[in-house]
Amino acid sequence: MTVLGAVLPIFAIILAGYVFARMRQLGADAVTVLNAYVVWVALPALLFDFVAEADWATLAQPRFVLVFATSMLAIFGVSLISGNQRLARRSIDALAASYSNTAYLGIPLAGALLGPTGTAAAVIASLLTVCALFALSVMLVEIDLAPRVPVARRIGGVALSVVRNPLVAAPLAGGLWAVTGLAMPFAPQMFLKLLGQTASPVALVTIGVFLAQPRARSSAIDLGRAVCLKLVAQPLVTLALLLIFPLPRPWAAAALLIAALPTGTGPFMVAQLYAQDVTLTARTILVTTVLSVFSVTALAWWLVG
């Protein structure tokens, strides 16, 4: 499979979602419905099935976790300390600068380019993004917006919310099933596989529909900083870490590829949840996704072409 043969269909599905939304004049409610289906039904089925049937040696990758998590948190930290707004705003902006679209874009793209190793890397990265980065940002927002609530209580609430997230609960449940050593009955197995197979195409269409929504303008300086941190600084930091902590080639390629992915929709969700201005996060998602058509394709060509 050529690089273009693997990458272009991924972005073509996003484009199809964009064109469909513009032709049918779909609004934000369509994004909400599609996103809910992916988050609550399709992706949990895919993650449960993958983890339940995975070889645990494949998922036990401490060096990959170290490299990916360190680069992700480093970019988050740089963005957090470089802003001059209040903590809640800075934490959401930092999330937008470091939150790779690991689940919606990473799983189909890494899987197409790198096979089972790429899929495993994207699943691990998705868990790190949701369990660590997303939770950290939410905790900082809570600390800023609810200063009278004890910190321990806020941290406990964030931890509970993370565990309840279907993208976290599903792979945890899959791991518990794997520990039992029981074989998955045929009917549930087919149910999970059929649902899981819808996750990637529907998620990619959802990105396209999201990008088709009208967006207000944001500060060019803030937007440029977020885009540069996400598409340039994060993969460069990852590359530097790989020189210090070498990984086998497929895992190293996956770490670089996933670090270079555009911003996912997580920051937009956090901004909406806490009634913060969504302009910068929405524009960051839009610009990084459009530019990643060229940057990710070029990187993929260098890595596996």
Side-chain angles (χ1 to χ4, degrees):
M1 179 184 294
T2 65
V3 170
L4 288 179
V7 174
L8 290 184
I10 302 295
F11 289 109
I13 295 175
I14 296 175
L15 178 61
Y18 177 88
V19 172
F20 173 63
R22 295 302 295 265
M23 290 181 63
R24 303 298 299 176
Q25 298 183 342
L26 300 181
D29 54 336
V31 180
T32 301
V33 172
L34 288 169
N35 189 69
Y37 171 77
V38 174
V39 170
W40 288 93
V41 181
L43 263 181
L46 184 150
L47 293 172
F48 179 94
D49 184 53
F50 181 85
V51 174
E53 297 188 359
D55 177 8
W56 284 94
T58 302
L59 294 178
Q61 299 293 332
R63 283 205 170 197
F64 175 85
V65 170
L66 175 64
V67 168
F68 184 79
T70 301
S71 64
M72 177 178 68
L73 293 174
I75 298 302
F76 181 90
V78 169
S79 178
L80 187 70
I81 64 176
S82 61
N84 55 13
Q85 304 98 331
R86 64 182 298 174
L87 180 61
R89 181 71 257 169
R90 284 186 286 123
S91 66
I92 294 173
D93 293 348
L95 190 64
S98 56
Y99 192 101
S100 289
N101 197 339
T102 53
Y104 282 21
L105 189 54
I107 290 176
L109 184 59
L113 288 171
L114 301 167
T117 297
T119 302
V123 169
I124 295 170
S126 297
L127 293 175
L128 289 171
T129 302
V130 174
C131 294
L133 192 67
F134 194 87
L136 174 61
S137 178
V138 169
M139 184 179 68
L140 292 175
V141 172
E142 290 274 0
I143 289 173
D144 186 30
L145 298 183
R148 295 182 180 179
V149 180
V151 175
R153 182 178 172 184
R154 276 174 276 168
I155 293 175
V158 171
L160 184 60
S161 297
V162 170
V163 172
R164 287 177 175 174
N165 188 307
L167 301 186
V168 176
L172 289 178
L176 292 175
W177 177 272
V179 169
T180 67
L182 298 174
M184 183 73 66
F186 178 76
Q189 185 182 57
M190 288 301 299
F191 170 78
L192 290 170
K193 289 192 180 303
L194 288 173
L195 274 182
Q197 288 169 1
T198 69
S200 292
V202 177
L204 295 172
V205 168
T206 303
I207 295 173
V209 176
F210 175 83
L211 296 179
Q213 306 307 307
R215 303 294 172 197
R217 291 186 176 276
S218 58
S219 165
I221 294 176
D222 291 340
L223 178 61
R225 179 179 61 188
V227 171
C228 288
L229 284 173
K230 184 70 208 69
L231 294 184
V232 180
Q234 191 166 350
L236 286 178
V237 171
T238 303
L239 180 60
L241 288 168
L242 287 171
L243 297 176
I244 302 171
F245 306 104
L247 288 170
R249 182 170 178 80
W251 286 97
L256 272 174
L257 184 68
I258 296 170
L261 291 175
T263 302
T265 56
F268 184 82
M269 295 176 189
V270 175
Q272 281 193 317
L273 178 64
Y274 289 97
Q276 299 293 303
D277 183 15
V278 301
T279 302
L280 179 61
T281 55
R283 297 291 292 181
T284 302
I285 294 168
L286 171 63
V287 174
T288 56
T289 302
V290 171
L291 292 180
S292 70
V293 175
F294 308 100
S295 62
V296 170
T297 301
L299 179 61
W301 198 289
W302 179 61
L303 290 173
V304 299

